Amino acid sequence: MPRKMICRSKLFASLVLLGAAAVPFSAAVSQAASRPSATYTVRPGDTLFSIARQLLGDHHQWSRIYELNRDVLGNPNRIEPGQVLRMPFEGETARPAEPAPAVDTPAAAPDVKLPTPQRPARGVVVFPSEPTEAQQDTTFRRRRAVDATSALRTYRDQPYRALRSGEFHSAGFLTEDAALPYGTLLGTVTPPQIRNMTNRTSATLHTTVAVRAPEGATYRVGDSLLVVQLQPGPAGFGQIVLPTGMVRITEETGAQLIGTVVAVYGPIRNEQLLLPVEPFTDGGSSRAQPVADGVTGTVLARRELRELAQPQQFLFIDRGSRDGVARGDLFEIRRAPDARNGDAGTIDELMAVVQVVHVRERSATVRIVNVISPDVPPGTPIKQVGKLPT
């Protein structure tokens, strides 16, 4: 009896093997090759190890998932919930992600409602369709190069608002060793709710403060004063006047003048200095006229202590009103050619475009409107390339 059971078991196994062998090998390969890649939406608490164990049956397969999703995962140890990962199937190797082509959707008839695409739930495995030939062709498509001069040409050729009052008043300038009529911000008139360790106080927008006019002068109700602090400037050009805010006088109490903070550009503290606000005229929108042989000069210093130049940052240049420079003028900062022994020399190339926002006699303050090369040290050449019509 046991022998018969063994014989029947062997006979059943043989039939199973024959049935499996009856499937053509080429058909099996074709089915595996045509099987699309699956996607998996990452859930909270997932790791590449847990995903590989759950879907591939072996946590050691996490590297296959990572290689297939390098365009999504910068670090295999950091995956975020909601990320959609392509899952490998047997025999698949890593491939780069391919952007979907732009498809024009035909307009639907008024009485026809287009189906709303359903977003798969988190953790659901979805098998997308195979990429089209157009998608495959975009993988190695060459991108059009962008010329730096063309990218910055809009600032010279397009109408734009030349200058705003906030940019003008907050820019700052160089004193050029001139004696300026400084007043003093005494501090806030309302004691703080929590007592400070020192008498130093800070003012914010709409804070009421007390001020003192310079000796031999006075302020009237309605006067606007620029709150500033001084910093060391470049040699031969005096100090840097750095605005921190604006105060408008609201009351005269005899012993002191009372004002309200109407603008904040930086930290406003007691013992900072005051200057009368310079008048500003809004030039509106206009078109800068190209200048062929414009004024040339150099960068004197950065207003902020930053190593790299950024848009909206302020710089000082060594050309002013006596050189014909005016507010709104456009300058290009260009790299100076430099031949170096045994190494590649630098060439004359565009580094940044700046706009003049404040003018003194021998210097001007410029605002960076666009940057290509952020390393702009003092002494870098500048050239005037655009001038607003007067």
Side-chain angles (χ1 to χ4, degrees):
M1 191 69 179
R3 289 185 179 179
K4 291 182 180 181
M5 292 180 63
I6 294 174
C7 292
R8 290 175 182 175
S9 300
K10 290 183 178 180
L11 178 60
F12 178 75
S14 301
L15 292 176
V16 172
L17 293 176
L18 289 174
V23 179
F25 177 76
S26 58
V29 173
S30 177
Q31 292 175 2
S34 63
R35 183 184 179 186
S37 296
T39 61
Y40 176 81
T41 303
V42 178
R43 296 177 294 181
D46 278 346
T47 63
L48 290 185
F49 288 89
S50 64
I51 296 173
R53 185 187 303 110
Q54 175 185 353
L55 300 182
L56 303 181
D58 184 3
H59 69 274
H60 293 291
Q61 299 294 325
W62 69 267
S63 59
R64 295 181 60 195
I65 302 176
Y66 174 65
E67 291 297 331
L68 195 62
N69 294 275
R70 278 183 174 270
D71 56 331
V72 177
L73 303 176
N75 188 335
N77 296 320
R78 295 180 180 178
I79 61 175
E80 301 293 338
Q83 289 179 324
V84 180
L85 307 180
R86 292 189 301 277
M87 304 304 299
F89 56 84
E90 191 65 30
E92 184 179 26
T93 57
R95 59 183 179 185
E98 299 167 346
V103 179
D104 294 331
T105 304
D111 57 344
V112 177
K113 294 184 178 180
L114 296 178
T116 303
Q118 299 296 325
R119 184 177 180 181
R122 290 187 176 181
V124 176
V125 179
V126 180
F127 292 92
S129 58
E130 287 294 326
T132 63
E133 183 177 354
Q135 289 175 307
Q136 297 175 357
D137 292 342
T138 58
T139 303
F140 301 102
R141 184 172 296 171
R142 183 183 299 275
R143 293 186 177 181
R144 183 179 178 183
V146 179
D147 178 67
T149 304
S150 300
L152 300 181
R153 191 175 295 141
T154 179
Y155 295 99
R156 288 179 287 177
D157 300 342
Q158 298 296 325
Y160 68 103
R161 181 175 296 277
L163 193 62
R164 296 172 176 83
S165 61
E167 296 168 344
F168 169 72
H169 293 307
S170 64
F173 55 89
L174 299 175
T175 63
E176 298 181 1
D177 294 324
L180 301 178
Y182 294 115
T184 306
L185 177 69
L186 299 178
T188 59
V189 297
T190 302
Q193 297 298 321
I194 301 176
R195 181 171 299 178
N196 296 331
M197 297 295 293
T198 66
N199 293 328
R200 189 178 188 184
T201 59
S202 299
T204 58
L205 192 63
H206 306 308
T207 300
T208 302
V209 296
V211 302
R212 182 174 60 229
E215 186 176 356
T218 186
Y219 298 138
R220 301 296 183 187
V221 174
D223 289 350
S224 294
L225 306 173
L226 195 66
V227 186
V228 302
Q229 57 185 4
L230 301 180
Q231 295 180 355
F237 288 87
Q239 296 175 298
I240 297 175
V241 177
L242 182 62
T244 60
M246 190 181 298
V247 171
R248 183 171 292 120
I249 301 299
T250 58
E251 184 181 356
E252 297 182 37
T253 62
Q256 60 185 8
L257 298 168
I258 305 300
T260 301
V261 177
V262 295
V264 176
Y265 310 130
I268 301 177
R269 299 187 176 94
N270 55 329
E271 301 303 325
Q272 289 184 346
L273 304 178
L274 302 171
L275 284 174
V277 171
E278 298 181 51
F280 172 79
T281 302
D282 188 351
S285 297
S286 56
R287 188 184 301 272
Q289 303 299 323
V291 176
D293 299 323
V295 177
T296 60
T298 59
V299 174
L300 283 175
R302 308 180 185 93
R303 199 191 73 170
E304 291 86 2
L305 298 178
R306 298 176 180 172
E307 291 297 328
L308 300 179
Q310 303 174 5
Q312 306 303 318
Q313 183 180 346
F314 295 102
L315 306 174
F316 301 112
I317 62 175
D318 63 350
R319 291 293 179 266
S321 59
R322 71 177 184 181
D323 304 299
V325 175
R327 291 198 309 236
D329 289 357
L330 294 175
F331 280 78
E332 287 182 350
I333 300 178
R334 307 194 67 90
R335 193 184 310 278
D338 181 21
R340 293 174 288 182
N341 295 329
D343 200 355
T346 59
I347 61 174
D348 178 17
E349 59 181 345
L350 181 63
M351 301 178 67
V353 174
V354 297
Q355 179 190 31
V356 177
V357 293
H358 196 286
V359 181
R360 303 280 288 176
E361 182 181 1
R362 296 186 293 117
S363 62
T365 309
V366 298
R367 177 178 61 91
I368 299 176
V369 295
N370 211 328
V371 177
I372 296 176
S373 178
D375 184 15
V376 183
T380 304
I382 60 171
K383 181 179 180 181
Q384 186 186 43
V385 294
K387 194 172 184 64
L388 294 178
T390 57

